[in-house]
């Protein structure tokens, strides 16, 4: 079953009912179990991602605070400007 088919089923209750009519009760229960596991895994992944993002924000705030307490700025930390990438400009012939 394609992603598009699953999206159609998820968006439209009548389409979901029509698809469900083709399955036995045992298959429907198994499908519900599998979908429940997928939902649980996605929720865990989302919680983990949010925790990682929050930790990253805390670390960033700590670093900014340490920079300010030291009397530094970001310019002090970057000794030279990043070099441009790509092709060098063409030289004009005289």
């Amino acid at each position: 079953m394609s992603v598009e088919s699953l999206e159609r089923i998820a968006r439209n209750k009548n389409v979901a009912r029509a698809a469900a009519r083709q399955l036995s009760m045992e298959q429907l229960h198994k499908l519900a179990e599998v979908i429940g596991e997928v939902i649980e895994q996605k929720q865990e992944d989302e919680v983990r991602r949010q925790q990682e993002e929050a930790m990253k924000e805390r670390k960033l705030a700590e670093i900014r605070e340490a920079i300010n307490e030291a009397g530094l700025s970001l310019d002090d930390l970057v000794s030279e400007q990043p070099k441009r990438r790509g092709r060098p400009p063409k030289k004009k012939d005289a």
Side-chain angles (χ1 to χ4, degrees), residues 1-74:
M1 182 173 279
S2 70
V3 173
E4 292 83 18
S5 298
L6 288 173
E7 288 175 352
R8 275 188 65 227
I9 290 171
R11 285 192 310 260
N12 190 316
K13 195 181 287 188
N14 290 331
V15 173
R17 284 185 181 129
R21 276 190 225 114
Q22 298 173 8
L23 301 174
S24 69
M25 285 302 292
E26 182 180 331
Q27 290 171 322
L28 284 172
H29 286 292
K30 181 66 178 169
L31 178 61
E33 181 182 320
V34 169
I35 289 175
E37 290 173 6
V38 169
I39 290 170
E40 185 177 321
Q41 182 65 44
K42 264 194 112 110
Q43 287 173 332
E44 290 172 2
D45 291 346
E46 181 63 19
V47 167
R48 191 175 309 110
R49 187 195 65 74
Q50 288 174 349
Q51 289 172 341
E52 289 171 356
E53 194 67 31
M55 182 180 294
K56 184 177 174 181
E57 287 295 323
R58 283 193 301 273
K59 287 180 181 180
L60 189 56
E62 290 172 5
I63 291 170
R64 284 185 180 133
E65 185 177 336
I67 289 172
N68 287 336
E69 287 177 359
L72 299 172
S73 72
L74 292 178

